[in-house]
Amino acid sequence: MEIALNGISKKFGRFAALRGVDLKIQSGELLALLGPSGSGKTTLLRIIAGLAFPETGQLTFDGVDATHIPARDRQVGFVFQHYALFRHMTVADNVGFGLSVRRKDRPSSAKIREQALELLRLVKIEELAERYPTQLSGGQRQRVALARALAIEPRVLLLDEPFGALDAKVRKDLRRWIRQLHDEINVTSVFVTHDQDEALEVADRVVIMNNGQIEQIGTPSEVYDAPVNSFVFGFLGDANRIPYALSSGAISAPGIKLTLPTENAPRDGVALVRPHDIQITPDSSGLCRIRRVSVIGATAHLEVSVDHDNIPALEIVLPQQRFAELGLHVGSKVTLHADRGTIVSAKDAHLAA
């Protein structure tokens, strides 16, 4: 099902949660709404679900106006962060609950049971059918919640911070699993997250929100490799901020060779460069010095200071093997080179912090 939102605005008192949002969600895609707390992503999800209604704008499902249709009539599956399972019901009964309370076309008890078990097989926890929620792990509960949302055969599946209550290892396993599951069921799906890695790994497209507006929409590689502004650049990963001097169409910084595109570069500007996009070379006469080294698994994380008051310490990430080959250590003098990054005005650069 294709979903279109046009000019969607929503206020809570004087606070503008959404400011004229336009968004088209393609049929069968898995879309991530990504942004900091208060950016409007959950409010937008609730409007799609029918749990909140916009003050201005229109919502359509496959071209049909759904702006004021109540949630119970939208055929939308909703998965909450904290599962919202019924503690007194077995796993199978939780999954079948949505079917058992239908006013129209309610299946027989046997059919509900059959469908519940089929869905539990789909999410790979059929052996837990007779257990109760308190007897499950967090990851298992989330799978039950997802099976329950799918039981009503939704036209669209909505997930609000679906992995937020889980520990890092379970979260990583589940997001890979949900990507595989989505490819099997092919239901138009939208999930809210503030975890950049989660959005970039799972989604077909990512919508980055801030202050009730959309900053950028694109595939994971598009938003990460070609951020449209400093907010997106900083929100999607660590950013080194390097003030530069502009002369004859080229930019430079003490101890750092910058070969970035300079078209329309502001005179008073800052180069935003990710830690893994800085190359490092040993140089006994260099203006940069390694101050701290932390080797974590296959990567080495370096803090490098620059002998210039205007440039803050930089973070550099190298493969551990490359770090060893260079023979670097705390105190080593080096020169730096960056040929990937984004140039912004100094006024705008603080948004990447």
Side-chain angles (χ1 to χ4, degrees):
M1 181 176 68
E2 183 180 274
I3 303 169
L5 301 106
N6 299 295
I8 297 293
S9 296
K10 178 69 175 178
K11 285 186 176 181
F12 296 100
R14 294 184 178 180
F15 174 68
L18 296 172
R19 308 166 185 262
V21 171
D22 295 319
L23 174 63
K24 181 174 286 188
I25 303 168
Q26 299 165 7
S27 180
E29 81 169 322
L30 178 54
L31 185 89
L33 299 178
L34 174 67
S37 297
S39 61
K41 56 189 186 297
T42 294
T43 300
L44 191 60
L45 193 78
R46 290 175 63 83
I47 285 174
I48 297 173
L51 300 175
F53 297 92
E55 285 153 14
T56 63
Q58 185 184 48
L59 167 70
T60 62
F61 288 169
D62 279 339
V64 178
D65 188 355
T67 311
H68 301 292
I69 294 176
R72 65 177 179 273
D73 297 326
R74 293 193 183 192
Q75 206 174 339
V76 168
F78 204 112
V79 179
F80 297 90
Q81 177 179 351
H82 294 287
Y83 327 123
L85 301 179
F86 297 111
R87 295 164 61 91
H88 65 286
M89 290 184 180
T90 65
V91 165
D93 288 341
N94 264 284
V95 173
F97 178 77
L99 297 173
S100 67
V101 296
R102 275 186 177 174
R103 297 180 181 179
K104 297 180 180 179
D105 302 321
R106 181 186 181 277
S108 67
S109 296
K111 183 64 175 177
I112 292 173
R113 173 77 178 180
E114 179 185 337
Q115 287 186 245
L117 293 178
E118 183 179 339
L119 284 164
L120 289 174
R121 282 191 290 272
L122 179 66
V123 300
K124 297 180 170 49
I125 52 170
E126 63 269 26
E127 72 280 5
L128 305 178
E130 300 308 316
R131 293 192 187 179
Y132 290 86
T134 55
Q135 298 173 306
L136 306 180
S137 69
Q140 291 168 338
R141 291 180 195 177
Q142 194 58 286
R143 292 190 185 214
V144 175
L146 184 58
R148 183 177 62 182
L150 293 173
I152 63 170
E153 298 179 342
R155 295 191 294 165
V156 58
L157 180 64
L158 307 177
L159 305 99
D160 187 11
E161 299 275 7
F163 315 127
L166 305 173
D167 63 54
K169 176 65 167 61
V170 175
R171 193 163 62 238
K172 191 170 184 178
D173 291 343
L174 269 184
R175 68 194 191 202
R176 290 174 180 168
W177 168 77
I178 204 168
R179 176 70 248 188
Q180 295 171 351
L181 178 65
H182 175 268
D183 291 341
E184 290 181 30
I185 62 177
N186 200 36
V187 173
T188 303
S189 304
V190 184
F191 75 98
V192 160
T193 182
H194 63 271
D195 185 315
Q196 298 91 330
D197 291 341
E198 191 169 284
L200 296 175
E201 181 178 340
V202 175
D204 295 314
R205 288 192 303 153
V206 180
V207 177
I208 301 168
M209 300 188 66
N210 186 38
N211 292 327
Q213 297 177 309
I214 293 175
E215 297 281 351
Q216 186 172 358
I217 306 172
T219 64
S221 60
E222 286 170 347
V223 297
Y224 187 84
D225 294 332
V228 297
N229 57 37
S230 57
F231 171 80
V232 175
F233 192 105
F235 190 74
L236 288 181
D238 294 328
N240 288 300
R241 289 167 289 283
I242 307 172
Y244 61 77
L246 178 65
S247 177
S248 302
I251 62 174
S252 61
I256 308 168
K257 184 179 180 182
L258 297 171
T259 54
L260 307 178
T262 58
E263 185 179 0
N264 301 319
R267 181 166 296 278
D268 180 23
V270 173
L272 303 176
V273 183
R274 300 200 186 281
H276 59 265
D277 285 332
I278 297 180
Q279 291 84 52
I280 186 168
T281 305
D283 184 355
S284 59
S285 61
L287 295 178
C288 306
R289 186 187 299 271
I290 297 176
R291 295 297 186 189
R292 185 172 62 86
V293 175
S294 177
V295 177
I296 304 172
T299 58
H301 299 252
L302 283 59
E303 181 183 304
V304 177
S305 64
V306 183
D307 188 16
H308 194 280
D309 293 340
N310 196 36
I311 301 178
L314 305 177
E315 181 185 355
I316 299 174
V317 177
L318 297 173
Q320 188 276 336
Q321 183 176 350
R322 176 60 177 162
F323 173 72
E325 290 171 353
L326 291 171
L328 298 172
H329 53 80
V330 173
S332 295
K333 283 192 170 185
V334 296
T335 57
L336 307 177
H337 174 219
D339 57 10
R340 293 185 64 187
T342 296
I343 291 175
V344 298
S345 68
K347 183 179 179 181
D348 193 37
H350 74 281
L351 295 175

